[in-house]
Amino acid sequence: MEIVREQDVVPFRNRVREYAVRVKMGLVNQTKLITAASELVRNMLNYAKGGKIRIEIVSRGRDNGIRLTFVDTGPGISNIELAMKDGWSTGKSLGLGLPGARRLVNEFNIQTETGKGTTVTIIKWSNG
């Protein structure tokens, strides 16, 4: 799914919810997943002018979950360690986006290269 403007966010959130319902994710975990996804998609729009997101159903034994992969070709994050600290922001936000998203999901991976872009992959398990 491509995200290039603010109007793309609501359909994206709805699609994430549809996938979460499909794997029988409870309402609390759906809310955590959608909140994390919203933070990450806003970062992608604000800092990289958009990008692409892949939504997948994944399995681990009997547990199912949703994996979201956010890929942008923006400026990258110059100091990932600093960016993952609560309260740090290069913009005018509270600096809760990346660390907040990490706390809301079960698995969080970020790869970034200055001048080339950033890829963030998150997984939320239906029972976790």
Tab-separated table of all heavy atoms in Angstrom, residues 20-45:
chain	number	residue	atom	x	y	z
A	20	ALA	N	-6.309	-7.428	11.244
A	20	ALA	CA	-6.308	-7.815	12.661
A	20	ALA	C	-7.560	-8.618	13.007
A	20	ALA	O	-7.490	-9.617	13.728
A	20	ALA	CB	-6.198	-6.574	13.540
A	21	VAL	N	-8.699	-8.207	12.491
A	21	VAL	CA	-9.949	-8.939	12.724
A	21	VAL	C	-9.849	-10.330	12.093
A	21	VAL	O	-10.290	-11.323	12.675
A	21	VAL	CB	-11.156	-8.145	12.175
A	21	VAL	CG1	-12.412	-9.003	12.130
A	21	VAL	CG2	-11.393	-6.891	13.024
A	22	ARG	N	-9.239	-10.404	10.925
A	22	ARG	CA	-9.100	-11.674	10.206
A	22	ARG	C	-8.326	-12.707	11.022
A	22	ARG	O	-8.608	-13.901	10.941
A	22	ARG	CB	-8.406	-11.432	8.869
A	22	ARG	CG	-8.739	-12.470	7.835
A	22	ARG	CD	-8.083	-12.204	6.503
A	22	ARG	NE	-8.506	-10.951	5.897
A	22	ARG	CZ	-7.903	-10.382	4.869
A	22	ARG	NH1	-6.839	-10.947	4.324
A	22	ARG	NH2	-8.336	-9.249	4.366
A	23	VAL	N	-7.345	-12.263	11.820
A	23	VAL	CA	-6.570	-13.204	12.642
A	23	VAL	C	-7.133	-13.302	14.066
A	23	VAL	O	-6.479	-13.842	14.946
A	23	VAL	CB	-5.056	-12.862	12.675
A	23	VAL	CG1	-4.463	-12.915	11.288
A	23	VAL	CG2	-4.784	-11.535	13.362
A	24	LYS	N	-8.351	-12.766	14.245
A	24	LYS	CA	-9.048	-12.829	15.539
A	24	LYS	C	-8.278	-12.152	16.668
A	24	LYS	O	-8.232	-12.619	17.801
A	24	LYS	CB	-9.377	-14.279	15.896
A	24	LYS	CG	-10.316	-14.938	14.900
A	24	LYS	CD	-10.577	-16.376	15.250
A	24	LYS	CE	-11.561	-17.087	14.361
A	24	LYS	NZ	-11.614	-16.815	12.981
A	25	MET	N	-7.667	-11.017	16.345
A	25	MET	CA	-6.948	-10.226	17.342
A	25	MET	C	-7.971	-9.500	18.203
A	25	MET	O	-8.928	-8.932	17.678
A	25	MET	CB	-6.020	-9.237	16.638
A	25	MET	CG	-5.079	-8.487	17.560
A	25	MET	SD	-3.935	-7.403	16.642
A	25	MET	CE	-2.823	-8.594	15.895
A	26	GLY	N	-7.770	-9.516	19.514
A	26	GLY	CA	-8.667	-8.838	20.436
A	26	GLY	C	-8.607	-7.329	20.267
A	26	GLY	O	-7.652	-6.787	19.685
A	27	LEU	N	-9.613	-6.655	20.795
A	27	LEU	CA	-9.736	-5.206	20.623
A	27	LEU	C	-8.547	-4.437	21.209
A	27	LEU	O	-8.061	-3.488	20.593
A	27	LEU	CB	-11.050	-4.716	21.241
A	27	LEU	CG	-11.415	-3.265	20.957
A	27	LEU	CD1	-11.501	-3.019	19.450
A	27	LEU	CD2	-12.740	-2.923	21.621
A	28	VAL	N	-8.054	-4.840	22.371
A	28	VAL	CA	-6.920	-4.138	22.989
A	28	VAL	C	-5.689	-4.251	22.096
A	28	VAL	O	-5.002	-3.255	21.824
A	28	VAL	CB	-6.628	-4.677	24.408
A	28	VAL	CG1	-5.318	-4.135	24.948
A	28	VAL	CG2	-7.771	-4.329	25.350
A	29	ASN	N	-5.394	-5.448	21.604
A	29	ASN	CA	-4.230	-5.632	20.731
A	29	ASN	C	-4.427	-4.951	19.387
A	29	ASN	O	-3.470	-4.426	18.816
A	29	ASN	CB	-3.902	-7.113	20.567
A	29	ASN	CG	-3.232	-7.675	21.803
A	29	ASN	OD1	-2.579	-6.942	22.543
A	29	ASN	ND2	-3.400	-8.955	22.047
A	30	GLN	N	-5.655	-4.930	18.880
A	30	GLN	CA	-5.935	-4.183	17.648
A	30	GLN	C	-5.590	-2.708	17.846
A	30	GLN	O	-4.951	-2.084	16.993
A	30	GLN	CB	-7.419	-4.272	17.274
A	30	GLN	CG	-7.862	-5.552	16.652
A	30	GLN	CD	-9.344	-5.493	16.293
A	30	GLN	OE1	-9.827	-4.490	15.778
A	30	GLN	NE2	-10.051	-6.566	16.567
A	31	THR	N	-6.031	-2.175	18.977
A	31	THR	CA	-5.792	-0.755	19.274
A	31	THR	C	-4.298	-0.469	19.377
A	31	THR	O	-3.809	0.540	18.847
A	31	THR	CB	-6.517	-0.354	20.569
A	31	THR	OG1	-7.919	-0.625	20.398
A	31	THR	CG2	-6.317	1.107	20.904
A	32	LYS	N	-3.549	-1.352	20.039
A	32	LYS	CA	-2.097	-1.167	20.150
A	32	LYS	C	-1.447	-1.197	18.771
A	32	LYS	O	-0.597	-0.352	18.460
A	32	LYS	CB	-1.490	-2.251	21.042
A	32	LYS	CG	-1.821	-2.075	22.506
A	32	LYS	CD	-1.222	-3.191	23.331
A	32	LYS	CE	-1.523	-3.002	24.800
A	32	LYS	NZ	-0.928	-4.093	25.617
A	33	LEU	N	-1.840	-2.169	17.932
A	33	LEU	CA	-1.270	-2.284	16.597
A	33	LEU	C	-1.583	-1.047	15.759
A	33	LEU	O	-0.697	-0.478	15.119
A	33	LEU	CB	-1.802	-3.545	15.900
A	33	LEU	CG	-1.403	-3.712	14.434
A	33	LEU	CD1	0.110	-3.864	14.293
A	33	LEU	CD2	-2.142	-4.892	13.813
A	34	ILE	N	-2.832	-0.615	15.774
A	34	ILE	CA	-3.240	0.530	14.959
A	34	ILE	C	-2.580	1.817	15.457
A	34	ILE	O	-2.176	2.670	14.656
A	34	ILE	CB	-4.773	0.633	14.897
A	34	ILE	CG1	-5.316	-0.554	14.087
A	34	ILE	CG2	-5.225	1.955	14.300
A	34	ILE	CD1	-6.802	-0.790	14.226
A	35	THR	N	-2.412	1.951	16.756
A	35	THR	CA	-1.741	3.130	17.311
A	35	THR	C	-0.277	3.161	16.880
A	35	THR	O	0.234	4.197	16.431
A	35	THR	CB	-1.858	3.151	18.850
A	35	THR	OG1	-3.253	3.167	19.201
A	35	THR	CG2	-1.172	4.363	19.444
A	36	ALA	N	0.407	2.016	16.988
A	36	ALA	CA	1.806	1.952	16.551
A	36	ALA	C	1.916	2.243	15.057
A	36	ALA	O	2.779	3.012	14.626
A	36	ALA	CB	2.391	0.570	16.870
A	37	ALA	N	1.022	1.650	14.278
A	37	ALA	CA	1.039	1.855	12.826
A	37	ALA	C	0.798	3.321	12.487
A	37	ALA	O	1.436	3.870	11.580
A	37	ALA	CB	-0.010	0.967	12.163
A	38	SER	N	-0.101	3.969	13.217
A	38	SER	CA	-0.395	5.385	12.977
A	38	SER	C	0.827	6.249	13.245
A	38	SER	O	1.126	7.176	12.484
A	38	SER	CB	-1.554	5.850	13.861
A	38	SER	OG	-2.737	5.173	13.510
A	39	GLU	N	1.535	5.967	14.331
A	39	GLU	CA	2.750	6.722	14.647
A	39	GLU	C	3.785	6.564	13.535
A	39	GLU	O	4.402	7.539	13.099
A	39	GLU	CB	3.352	6.234	15.971
A	39	GLU	CG	2.564	6.635	17.191
A	39	GLU	CD	2.579	8.131	17.436
A	39	GLU	OE1	3.582	8.798	17.084
A	39	GLU	OE2	1.592	8.650	17.969
A	40	LEU	N	3.966	5.328	13.072
A	40	LEU	CA	4.987	5.067	12.063
A	40	LEU	C	4.621	5.661	10.708
A	40	LEU	O	5.485	6.193	10.011
A	40	LEU	CB	5.234	3.563	11.961
A	40	LEU	CG	5.843	2.944	13.228
A	40	LEU	CD1	5.861	1.430	13.125
A	40	LEU	CD2	7.236	3.495	13.496
A	41	VAL	N	3.341	5.604	10.344
A	41	VAL	CA	2.935	6.172	9.059
A	41	VAL	C	3.046	7.695	9.083
A	41	VAL	O	3.434	8.313	8.102
A	41	VAL	CB	1.535	5.677	8.626
A	41	VAL	CG1	0.416	6.389	9.357
A	41	VAL	CG2	1.350	5.833	7.128
A	42	ARG	N	2.768	8.300	10.227
A	42	ARG	CA	2.917	9.761	10.339
A	42	ARG	C	4.383	10.161	10.234
A	42	ARG	O	4.718	11.150	9.586
A	42	ARG	CB	2.317	10.267	11.644
A	42	ARG	CG	0.829	10.047	11.712
A	42	ARG	CD	0.057	11.289	12.044
A	42	ARG	NE	-1.359	10.979	12.106
A	42	ARG	CZ	-2.201	11.088	11.088
A	42	ARG	NH1	-1.761	11.493	9.933
A	42	ARG	NH2	-3.477	10.792	11.215
A	43	ASN	N	5.262	9.392	10.867
A	43	ASN	CA	6.700	9.663	10.722
A	43	ASN	C	7.107	9.572	9.259
A	43	ASN	O	7.868	10.411	8.768
A	43	ASN	CB	7.525	8.660	11.534
A	43	ASN	CG	7.652	9.045	12.986
A	43	ASN	OD1	7.176	10.080	13.409
A	43	ASN	ND2	8.281	8.176	13.756
A	44	MET	N	6.612	8.550	8.579
A	44	MET	CA	6.955	8.348	7.172
A	44	MET	C	6.491	9.532	6.329
A	44	MET	O	7.219	10.008	5.462
A	44	MET	CB	6.305	7.043	6.686
A	44	MET	CG	6.927	6.476	5.454
A	44	MET	SD	6.375	4.786	5.123
A	44	MET	CE	4.698	5.081	4.646
A	45	LEU	N	5.308	10.039	6.607
A	45	LEU	CA	4.802	11.208	5.873
A	45	LEU	C	5.576	12.470	6.229
A	45	LEU	O	5.968	13.230	5.350
A	45	LEU	CB	3.311	11.423	6.173
A	45	LEU	CG	2.329	10.615	5.357
A	45	LEU	CD1	0.920	10.757	5.932
A	45	LEU	CD2	2.351	11.016	3.895
